Amino acid sequence: MINDLWYKNAIIYSLDLETFMDGNGDGCGDFEGLTRRLDYLDSLGIDTIWLAPFQPSPNRDNGYDISDFYGVDPRHGSSGDFVEFMNQANKRGMGVIIDLVVNHTSDKHPWFQKARRKDPRYYDWYIWSKKRPSNWNKGMVFPGVQKSTWTLDPKAHEYFYHRFYDFQPDLNMQNPEVRAEVRRILGYWLELGIAGFRVDAVPFILEESPLTAGKGAPYLHFDYLTELRQFLQWRSRDAVLLGEANVLPKQNMKYFGDEGDGIHMMFNFYVNQHLFYALAAADVRPLQKALHATRDIPETAQWGQFLRNHDELDLGRLTEAQRQAVFAAFGPKPEMQLYDRGIRRRLASMLSDRRRIELAYSIMFSLPGAPVIRYGDEIGMGEDLSLPEREAVRTVMQWSAEPNAGFSSARKPTHAVISSGPYGCEHVNVDAQRRDPGSLLNWMVKMIRLRKECPEIGWGLCTIIQTQTRGVLVLHFKWRDGELVTAHNFASEPQEVRFRIPGADDTVLVDLLGVTDAQPRRQGTYSITLDEYGHRWYRLGHAGYGLQHSRGVPIDKRRGP
């Protein structure tokens, strides 16, 4: 059944408990609040929730500095609250993915506290050097903010290694005891019913120790991904690994595994960055190349396609000229940029025009892969640039025009609320948009429903249709007896586009978003007109294919889908 590989067509919603909904009125989001909002996510059409870290943490890095991998931070509730949330999510047919953050721990974690006291068991769980390494100030993840990757510990009197901030010491993943502990972490949460893990910072988990690495790029132990995959399948047939790996296309197969025995899914950062260049420059040619470069993956693997996430918009894979074009279009002021490579803004404020926002989401839903939506983007939330670094895009969810945006009844929430300006909660909130038939939220509901009715995007072969128009992207999907064509105009003026679909003969293109079907002019050739920032979804032949096939049909395991 299609559901055997449920992640191929999943609609994933990314949220942070801290900023989503406060259920007990203490100012911090929690499982009680999230549970209350499950009906909202269900009505939106979400079938998979991705939770940011919620385990106990000093919370110096949005919860990614974990001090206990086996619990729930009291700020978010109890383990019982988590179990009740899982029960309610499963009743609605929703799966839950949680963050697996095992590249590092908090420096407050008991493991590190014992290691710095030279405990013989835990000392080698981290990476130490008696002398400061010569590359102590190289390889920082957060340039301009992070000062080093080696820091002298005052208790151990040795230097410890940290790819991220100095309060996040790296675990020594080459230590078999550390790997065994990671398996215990996976096993614990799988027993509580989760559907998978979003694996944080995958390349850094695989890196060999900097003490043994040569002068070139560090060796990556990809066998560890196979080990994690095997353990996951032993414990849970359906659970998946969704990797955060911002790598070049030539490295993709190493992460997925040549035999599909690596991670199940990866975020497609490469396509994401070239998509924003296309939005900025109205030039789809680099995006077409990016789609082609990331096309070949194992049949059981899948891309996670996204527009924005909880970090900066990383542009590091673009050329300098391309990056500057995106900066000029969407982040022209220095305070909008971050780490010399990215933009710390939300999607709606970057694009500003409702038509361009719809264009961007229509493209994202039609890219080969599973779409990932960031909380608040479905209503067009903005950012608060007065906040430091990535906190600008981590403000609370805007549920209503009430105090604290309806997020909390507390006098002062722990996270910022956007309460003024064009993106303030008075103007941008769920309550108002649910009652407005023409709102962005209701448009998103329609697009999610449409995406679910088009399984060809998740399962089928994607082909780029050439149009000779550099501002228009036309994609053709084919799976079994269903064919789909999407067309998107990145330009600020209307475009007439002519293209040919091999083998289409005299087939009519049925408009899935309107009533303007496309008739063939001659055998397999079509001509359509797209408005400025316009988009069209067509099905070849008839409109009802997705409705009958998206509910699940048998798959021959020997032949694939």
Side-chain angles (χ1 to χ4, degrees):
M1 302 295 290
I2 288 180
N3 288 339
D4 286 347
L5 298 180
W6 58 269
Y7 54 91
K8 296 282 282 189
N9 274 299
I11 307 294
I12 304 172
Y13 190 89
S14 162
L15 65 90
D16 186 344
L17 277 173
E18 288 200 16
T19 54
F20 196 65
M21 184 67 200
D22 173 19
N24 62 7
D26 66 354
C28 181
D30 47 40
F31 278 113
E32 181 182 347
L34 173 56
T35 302
R36 292 182 190 176
R37 296 300 187 183
L38 285 176
D39 286 336
Y40 164 75
L41 297 180
D42 190 29
S43 68
L44 190 58
I46 303 303
D47 52 44
T48 306
I49 301 171
W50 159 29
L51 297 178
F54 54 82
Q55 294 87 349
S57 165
N59 204 30
R60 297 181 65 185
D61 183 24
N62 202 224
Y64 281 86
D65 50 328
I66 294 175
S67 58
D68 179 3
F69 289 98
Y70 296 100
V72 174
D73 194 296
R75 294 174 300 118
H76 303 314
S78 66
S79 295
D81 292 326
F82 173 80
V83 170
E84 178 59 20
F85 155 71
M86 289 295 301
N87 177 51
Q88 293 298 327
N90 291 334
K91 282 183 177 179
R92 293 164 175 81
M94 295 181 187
V96 178
I97 291 175
I98 70 171
D99 258 86
L100 180 69
V101 188
V102 292
N103 164 254
H104 55 261
T105 70
S106 165
D107 59 1
K108 304 302 182 185
H109 198 292
W111 301 341
F112 186 73
Q113 292 300 314
K114 293 176 182 179
R116 70 197 312 197
R117 293 195 296 266
K118 307 296 181 69
D119 183 299
R121 178 183 178 187
Y122 291 100
Y123 177 77
D124 286 335
W125 283 40
Y126 297 87
I127 302 170
W128 300 94
S129 177
K130 298 184 184 302
K131 296 182 179 180
R132 186 173 74 175
S134 59
N135 62 347
W136 64 276
N137 60 350
K138 305 294 182 183
M140 285 84 73
V141 174
F142 307 125
V145 177
Q146 184 183 355
K147 304 301 182 184
S148 69
T149 52
W150 288 92
T151 294
L152 180 65
D153 182 70
K155 292 186 178 180
H157 303 292
E158 293 183 19
Y159 291 85
F160 65 88
Y161 183 66
H162 54 93
R163 266 292 193 172
F164 293 85
Y165 295 112
D166 60 7
F167 52 83
Q168 294 169 315
D170 272 28
L171 284 165
N172 178 12
M173 296 305 297
Q174 295 181 46
N175 185 331
E177 291 189 8
V178 173
R179 291 193 179 193
E181 189 66 33
V182 171
R183 292 194 295 272
R184 281 189 283 270
I185 294 169
L186 267 66
Y188 175 84
W189 292 106
L190 287 171
E191 285 298 314
L192 294 178
I194 67 160
F197 300 87
R198 178 263 188 187
V199 188
D200 185 59
V202 177
F204 299 150
I205 294 175
L206 308 181
E207 278 186 355
E208 65 178 316
S209 168
L211 296 176
T212 59
K215 293 184 179 180
Y219 178 79
L220 300 181
H221 295 268
F222 288 102
D223 59 301
Y224 186 40
L225 288 182
T226 302
E227 179 183 324
L228 287 177
R229 170 82 174 243
Q230 290 175 344
F231 179 83
L232 206 69
Q233 291 180 331
W234 290 334
R235 291 295 179 91
S236 174
R237 180 175 62 88
D238 295 330
V240 301
L241 298 172
L242 169 58
E244 181 203 26
N246 187 354
V247 297
L248 291 170
K250 62 182 180 180
Q251 298 174 296
N252 290 336
M253 288 302 294
K254 294 181 179 179
Y255 288 86
F256 286 124
D258 292 332
E259 303 297 327
D261 55 354
I263 54 180
H264 303 74
M265 302 180 69
M266 278 204 302
F267 291 108
N268 201 330
F269 286 94
Y270 197 70
V271 163
N272 174 263
Q273 296 177 46
H274 288 87
L275 170 56
F276 273 92
Y277 173 72
L279 289 167
D283 183 359
V284 303
R285 293 172 298 179
L287 175 58
Q288 290 175 328
K289 292 179 180 179
L291 286 168
H292 186 269
T294 58
R295 182 182 61 178
D296 295 327
I297 62 175
E299 281 189 330
T300 57
Q302 187 59 293
W303 287 114
Q305 302 287 5
F306 67 103
L307 291 172
R308 289 294 289 114
N309 57 25
H310 59 294
D311 293 329
E312 77 281 3
L313 170 62
D314 192 335
L315 305 172
R317 299 300 182 187
L318 300 181
T319 66
E320 181 61 26
Q322 291 171 338
R323 185 162 47 250
Q324 292 306 319
V326 179
F327 278 143
F330 304 135
K333 298 180 180 179
E335 62 267 26
M336 297 175 176
Q337 302 171 15
L338 190 62
Y339 308 139
D340 302 321
R341 65 171 183 249
I343 298 176
R344 61 189 201 109
R345 304 185 73 193
R346 283 266 194 171
L347 180 74
S349 55
M350 281 195 291
L351 301 183
S352 69
D353 189 323
R354 168 72 181 270
R355 296 170 301 174
R356 296 182 82 182
I357 296 170
E358 290 185 3
L359 168 70
Y361 260 107
S362 178
I363 295 165
M364 192 269 284
F365 282 122
S366 68
L367 291 175
V372 184
I373 304 167
R374 178 65 176 164
Y375 84 92
D377 279 356
E378 73 271 22
I379 58 172
M381 279 178 55
E383 71 282 338
D384 184 349
L385 293 174
S386 69
L387 299 173
E389 297 183 66
R390 297 170 295 177
E391 294 300 315
V393 296
R394 298 173 178 176
T395 57
V396 305
M397 180 67 174
Q398 295 169 198
W399 295 105
S400 69
E402 298 173 342
N404 298 329
F407 160 77
S408 174
S409 60
R411 186 174 177 181
K412 184 175 176 58
T414 55
H415 280 260
V417 179
I418 299 179
S419 57
S420 61
Y423 297 99
C425 61
E426 180 181 353
H427 305 291
V428 179
N429 65 73
V430 171
D431 185 46
Q433 291 197 23
R434 291 188 82 168
R435 293 178 287 162
D436 178 2
S439 69
L440 178 61
L441 175 60
N442 281 311
W443 179 87
M444 286 283 286
V445 170
K446 179 180 71 173
M447 290 303 298
I448 290 172
R449 182 173 62 247
L450 176 60
R451 173 62 181 81
K452 287 184 171 183
E453 294 172 357
C454 297
E456 299 96 331
I457 298 175
W459 281 110
L461 175 67
C462 176
T463 303
I464 298 169
I465 301 296
Q466 299 301 323
T467 67
Q468 307 304 315
T469 306
R470 76 175 201 168
V472 175
L473 177 69
V474 179
L475 300 178
H476 174 232
F477 294 89
K478 187 172 184 178
W479 180 57
R480 295 186 170 178
D481 57 341
E483 293 185 62
L484 189 76
V485 172
T486 63
H488 293 87
N489 178 22
F490 288 73
S492 58
E493 59 276 339
Q495 300 280 349
E496 183 178 358
V497 184
R498 296 184 180 183
F499 56 90
R500 185 174 184 275
I501 303 175
D505 298 326
D506 296 325
T507 307
V508 175
L509 298 184
V510 179
D511 190 344
L512 300 181
L513 290 171
V515 294
T516 310
D517 297 345
Q519 304 289 338
R521 298 178 63 141
R522 59 181 181 272
Q523 193 173 48
T525 301
Y526 300 86
S527 177
I528 63 173
T529 300
L530 294 167
D531 294 335
E532 58 272 27
Y533 307 127
H535 57 275
R536 296 278 182 84
W537 288 45
Y538 296 105
R539 186 173 297 289
L540 272 68
H542 59 95
Y545 174 84
L547 293 175
Q548 63 187 25
H549 285 69
S550 62
R551 292 184 175 87
V553 293
I555 290 176
D556 186 333
K557 299 285 187 178
R558 296 167 298 176
R559 300 172 57 189

